[in-house]
């Protein structure tokens, strides 16, 4: 419910009650990720091993949103990976890389991919890029709990579908 203190990633003990369940106990959290604006603070995920923040070469990503995510993760002691998507847009990617230089200098790892949502068909270039993304991310994200964060259109659902094809997350142009 809206008034619940539970968040995604909470570990709970529950009891079956007919065809439903009742939470009996919430286990202690390892960490808690929250977001904050001028008016309120909202908890939204717990027990994370890493935060994968997606940004894109085009349109220009919000450094304010990126900074807020990094601050929240640092406060909670959560590892952060930044994933720059759409690097196949050569000119835009160069500008995005330039904007990400200070984050690299602060020690954040910035990975680069070109995820393409083309349904069930892909040309040879797309297949190479998909294979690269799987190789780059599959092993890194295969262990523990990762929260994928980013604004609409950054490729979150496309990434989930590449790494977990049976997820069938909806994507759109």
């Amino acid at each position: 419910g809206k008034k619940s203190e539970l968040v995604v990633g909470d570990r709970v003990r529950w009891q079956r009650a007919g065809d439903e369940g009742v939470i009996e106990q919430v286990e202690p959290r390892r960490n808690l990720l929250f977001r904050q604006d001028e008016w309120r603070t909202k908890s939204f995920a717990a027990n994370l091993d890493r935060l994968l923040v997606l940004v894109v070469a085009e349109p220009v990503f919000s450094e304010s949103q990126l900074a807020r995510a990094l601050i929240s993760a640092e406060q909670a002691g959560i590892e952060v990976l930044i994933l720059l998507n759409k690097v196949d847009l050569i000119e835009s990617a160069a500008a995005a890389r330039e904007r990400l230089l200070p984050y690299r200098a602060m020690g954040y790892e910035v990975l680069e991919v070109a995820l393409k949502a083309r349904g069930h068909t892909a040309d040879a270039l797309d297949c190479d890029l998909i294979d690269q993304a799987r190789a780059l991310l599959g092993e890194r994200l295969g262990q523990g709990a990762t929260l994928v964060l980013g604004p609409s259109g950054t490729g979150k659902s496309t990434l989930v579908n590449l790494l977990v094809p049976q997820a069938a997350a909806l994507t759109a142009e």
Side-chain angles (χ1 to χ4, degrees):
K2 291 184 179 182
K3 296 185 183 198
S4 173
E5 297 295 320
L6 295 173
V7 298
V8 169
D10 272 333
R11 306 288 190 248
V12 299
R13 294 185 185 270
W14 64 280
Q15 185 70 23
R16 187 175 304 277
D19 61 347
E20 296 183 359
V22 177
I23 295 173
E24 294 184 332
Q25 179 181 345
V26 179
E27 297 294 323
R29 294 171 172 154
R30 288 187 294 126
N31 53 43
L32 178 64
L33 194 63
F34 63 91
R35 63 176 165 233
Q36 185 172 356
D37 60 25
E38 305 86 55
W39 302 281
R40 65 186 177 135
T41 299
K42 180 172 176 52
S43 303
F44 67 95
N47 300 312
L48 298 172
D49 294 296
R50 78 195 53 76
L51 178 64
L52 179 64
V53 182
L54 269 75
V55 296
V56 291
E58 189 175 294
V60 174
F61 64 87
S62 167
E63 287 192 56
S64 173
Q65 286 179 340
L66 176 57
R68 287 195 319 264
L70 297 177
I71 290 167
S72 292
E74 287 291 335
Q75 184 276 331
I78 299 168
E79 173 193 7
V80 176
L81 296 172
I82 300 171
L83 184 65
L84 174 60
N85 189 15
K86 302 185 182 179
V87 296
D88 53 327
L89 304 174
I90 307 300
E91 289 180 24
S92 302
R97 283 184 191 101
E98 185 75 24
R99 292 180 65 219
L100 289 169
L101 283 175
Y103 301 96
R104 288 180 196 253
M106 286 186 272
Y108 291 105
E109 186 173 1
V110 179
L111 305 174
E112 297 185 8
V113 294
L115 306 172
K116 292 195 177 200
R118 300 233 191 255
H120 296 291
T121 62
D123 62 29
L125 176 61
D126 292 339
C127 290
D128 288 345
L129 295 172
I130 289 168
D131 289 343
Q132 289 173 11
R134 279 193 183 121
L136 186 64
L137 296 169
E139 189 173 307
R140 293 293 302 273
L141 306 182
Q143 301 294 319
T146 301
L147 177 69
V148 180
L149 185 68
S152 179
T154 55
K156 298 180 300 293
S157 295
T158 301
L159 175 64
V160 168
N161 288 337
L162 287 174
L163 298 177
V164 188
Q166 65 274 21
L170 294 177
T171 61
E173 288 295 319

mmCIF file of all heavy atoms in Angstrom, residues 6-23:
data_model
loop_
_atom_site.group_PDB
_atom_site.id
_atom_site.type_symbol
_atom_site.label_atom_id
_atom_site.label_comp_id
_atom_site.label_asym_id
_atom_site.label_seq_id
_atom_site.Cartn_x
_atom_site.Cartn_y
_atom_site.Cartn_z
ATOM 1 N N LEU A 6 7.649 -0.595 3.372
ATOM 2 C CA LEU A 6 8.428 -1.556 2.594
ATOM 3 C C LEU A 6 8.823 -0.955 1.249
ATOM 4 O O LEU A 6 8.109 -0.140 0.686
ATOM 5 C CB LEU A 6 7.622 -2.831 2.355
ATOM 6 C CG LEU A 6 7.276 -3.643 3.597
ATOM 7 C CD1 LEU A 6 6.350 -4.779 3.246
ATOM 8 C CD2 LEU A 6 8.537 -4.156 4.252
ATOM 9 N N VAL A 7 9.985 -1.406 0.740
ATOM 10 C CA VAL A 7 10.468 -0.957 -0.561
ATOM 11 C C VAL A 7 10.953 -2.172 -1.346
ATOM 12 O O VAL A 7 11.141 -3.259 -0.789
ATOM 13 C CB VAL A 7 11.605 0.086 -0.430
ATOM 14 C CG1 VAL A 7 11.130 1.347 0.280
ATOM 15 C CG2 VAL A 7 12.808 -0.509 0.288
ATOM 16 N N VAL A 8 11.161 -1.985 -2.635
ATOM 17 C CA VAL A 8 11.718 -3.036 -3.474
ATOM 18 C C VAL A 8 13.043 -3.495 -2.863
ATOM 19 O O VAL A 8 13.866 -2.674 -2.462
ATOM 20 C CB VAL A 8 11.958 -2.500 -4.906
ATOM 21 C CG1 VAL A 8 12.775 -3.481 -5.728
ATOM 22 C CG2 VAL A 8 10.637 -2.188 -5.578
ATOM 23 N N GLY A 9 13.223 -4.794 -2.780
ATOM 24 C CA GLY A 9 14.462 -5.348 -2.240
ATOM 25 C C GLY A 9 14.397 -5.715 -0.776
ATOM 26 O O GLY A 9 15.304 -6.377 -0.263
ATOM 27 N N ASP A 10 13.351 -5.293 -0.065
ATOM 28 C CA ASP A 10 13.222 -5.694 1.332
ATOM 29 C C ASP A 10 13.078 -7.204 1.423
ATOM 30 O O ASP A 10 12.442 -7.841 0.591
ATOM 31 C CB ASP A 10 12.002 -5.028 1.980
ATOM 32 C CG ASP A 10 12.316 -3.674 2.575
ATOM 33 O OD1 ASP A 10 13.474 -3.439 2.966
ATOM 34 O OD2 ASP A 10 11.389 -2.840 2.655
ATOM 35 N N ARG A 11 13.673 -7.779 2.440
ATOM 36 C CA ARG A 11 13.545 -9.201 2.726
ATOM 37 C C ARG A 11 12.530 -9.326 3.858
ATOM 38 O O ARG A 11 12.641 -8.611 4.872
ATOM 39 C CB ARG A 11 14.880 -9.811 3.171
ATOM 40 C CG ARG A 11 16.020 -9.570 2.203
ATOM 41 C CD ARG A 11 15.845 -10.402 0.941
ATOM 42 N NE ARG A 11 17.045 -10.356 0.130
ATOM 43 C CZ ARG A 11 17.116 -9.761 -1.041
ATOM 44 N NH1 ARG A 11 16.078 -9.145 -1.534
ATOM 45 N NH2 ARG A 11 18.235 -9.776 -1.737
ATOM 46 N N VAL A 12 11.558 -10.185 3.673
ATOM 47 C CA VAL A 12 10.493 -10.305 4.668
ATOM 48 C C VAL A 12 10.235 -11.763 5.010
ATOM 49 O O VAL A 12 10.573 -12.666 4.254
ATOM 50 C CB VAL A 12 9.168 -9.667 4.163
ATOM 51 C CG1 VAL A 12 9.349 -8.178 3.888
ATOM 52 C CG2 VAL A 12 8.629 -10.379 2.938
ATOM 53 N N ARG A 13 9.636 -11.963 6.158
ATOM 54 C CA ARG A 13 9.084 -13.265 6.531
ATOM 55 C C ARG A 13 7.579 -13.108 6.393
ATOM 56 O O ARG A 13 7.005 -12.136 6.868
ATOM 57 C CB ARG A 13 9.465 -13.639 7.957
ATOM 58 C CG ARG A 13 10.951 -13.858 8.112
ATOM 59 C CD ARG A 13 11.272 -14.347 9.519
ATOM 60 N NE ARG A 13 12.688 -14.447 9.697
ATOM 61 C CZ ARG A 13 13.401 -15.536 9.439
ATOM 62 N NH1 ARG A 13 12.813 -16.621 8.992
ATOM 63 N NH2 ARG A 13 14.695 -15.546 9.625
ATOM 64 N N TRP A 14 6.982 -14.084 5.720
ATOM 65 C CA TRP A 14 5.539 -13.977 5.474
ATOM 66 C C TRP A 14 4.868 -15.303 5.717
ATOM 67 O O TRP A 14 5.501 -16.356 5.747
ATOM 68 C CB TRP A 14 5.258 -13.458 4.069
ATOM 69 C CG TRP A 14 5.727 -14.383 2.975
ATOM 70 C CD1 TRP A 14 7.003 -14.508 2.500
ATOM 71 C CD2 TRP A 14 4.940 -15.305 2.242
ATOM 72 N NE1 TRP A 14 7.046 -15.458 1.516
ATOM 73 C CE2 TRP A 14 5.782 -15.959 1.330
ATOM 74 C CE3 TRP A 14 3.588 -15.645 2.252
ATOM 75 C CZ2 TRP A 14 5.329 -16.935 0.455
ATOM 76 C CZ3 TRP A 14 3.136 -16.614 1.375
ATOM 77 C CH2 TRP A 14 4.002 -17.239 0.485
ATOM 78 N N GLN A 15 3.565 -15.244 5.884
ATOM 79 C CA GLN A 15 2.755 -16.421 6.146
ATOM 80 C C GLN A 15 1.633 -16.461 5.118
ATOM 81 O O GLN A 15 1.004 -15.446 4.843
ATOM 82 C CB GLN A 15 2.172 -16.338 7.565
ATOM 83 C CG GLN A 15 1.406 -17.544 8.011
ATOM 84 C CD GLN A 15 2.322 -18.732 8.253
ATOM 85 O OE1 GLN A 15 3.506 -18.586 8.491
ATOM 86 N NE2 GLN A 15 1.776 -19.918 8.176
ATOM 87 N N ARG A 16 1.421 -17.642 4.554
ATOM 88 C CA ARG A 16 0.316 -17.812 3.609
ATOM 89 C C ARG A 16 -1.004 -17.629 4.357
ATOM 90 O O ARG A 16 -1.191 -18.137 5.455
ATOM 91 C CB ARG A 16 0.379 -19.191 2.964
ATOM 92 C CG ARG A 16 -0.627 -19.371 1.842
ATOM 93 C CD ARG A 16 -0.464 -20.695 1.127
ATOM 94 N NE ARG A 16 0.866 -20.921 0.585
ATOM 95 C CZ ARG A 16 1.291 -20.456 -0.588
ATOM 96 N NH1 ARG A 16 0.496 -19.723 -1.321
ATOM 97 N NH2 ARG A 16 2.508 -20.730 -1.007
ATOM 98 N N ALA A 17 -1.914 -16.892 3.723
ATOM 99 C CA ALA A 17 -3.261 -16.682 4.267
ATOM 100 C C ALA A 17 -4.237 -16.902 3.122
ATOM 101 O O ALA A 17 -4.577 -15.963 2.406
ATOM 102 C CB ALA A 17 -3.389 -15.285 4.858
ATOM 103 N N GLY A 18 -4.627 -18.143 2.906
ATOM 104 C CA GLY A 18 -5.485 -18.471 1.761
ATOM 105 C C GLY A 18 -4.681 -18.351 0.481
ATOM 106 O O GLY A 18 -3.610 -18.931 0.363
ATOM 107 N N ASP A 19 -5.195 -17.579 -0.479
ATOM 108 C CA ASP A 19 -4.449 -17.378 -1.722
ATOM 109 C C ASP A 19 -3.641 -16.086 -1.694
ATOM 110 O O ASP A 19 -3.185 -15.597 -2.716
ATOM 111 C CB ASP A 19 -5.407 -17.412 -2.930
ATOM 112 C CG ASP A 19 -6.454 -16.318 -2.873
ATOM 113 O OD1 ASP A 19 -6.602 -15.689 -1.810
ATOM 114 O OD2 ASP A 19 -7.127 -16.103 -3.898
ATOM 115 N N GLU A 20 -3.457 -15.510 -0.514
ATOM 116 C CA GLU A 20 -2.652 -14.307 -0.332
ATOM 117 C C GLU A 20 -1.577 -14.586 0.709
ATOM 118 O O GLU A 20 -1.427 -15.709 1.170
ATOM 119 C CB GLU A 20 -3.551 -13.146 0.110
ATOM 120 C CG GLU A 20 -4.585 -12.751 -0.921
ATOM 121 C CD GLU A 20 -5.415 -11.563 -0.478
ATOM 122 O OE1 GLU A 20 -5.203 -11.062 0.641
ATOM 123 O OE2 GLU A 20 -6.264 -11.133 -1.266
ATOM 124 N N GLY A 21 -0.849 -13.561 1.068
ATOM 125 C CA GLY A 21 0.164 -13.684 2.092
ATOM 126 C C GLY A 21 0.145 -12.485 3.018
ATOM 127 O O GLY A 21 -0.281 -11.402 2.618
ATOM 128 N N VAL A 22 0.610 -12.686 4.236
ATOM 129 C CA VAL A 22 0.670 -11.617 5.221
ATOM 130 C C VAL A 22 2.120 -11.484 5.677
ATOM 131 O O VAL A 22 2.745 -12.474 6.086
ATOM 132 C CB VAL A 22 -0.234 -11.925 6.436
ATOM 133 C CG1 VAL A 22 -0.100 -10.843 7.495
ATOM 134 C CG2 VAL A 22 -1.684 -12.085 5.993
ATOM 135 N N ILE A 23 2.669 -10.289 5.607
ATOM 136 C CA ILE A 23 4.039 -10.040 6.064
ATOM 137 C C ILE A 23 4.040 -10.037 7.582
ATOM 138 O O ILE A 23 3.290 -9.283 8.211
ATOM 139 C CB ILE A 23 4.577 -8.710 5.504
ATOM 140 C CG1 ILE A 23 4.677 -8.815 3.980
ATOM 141 C CG2 ILE A 23 5.921 -8.365 6.139
ATOM 142 C CD1 ILE A 23 5.025 -7.518 3.292
#
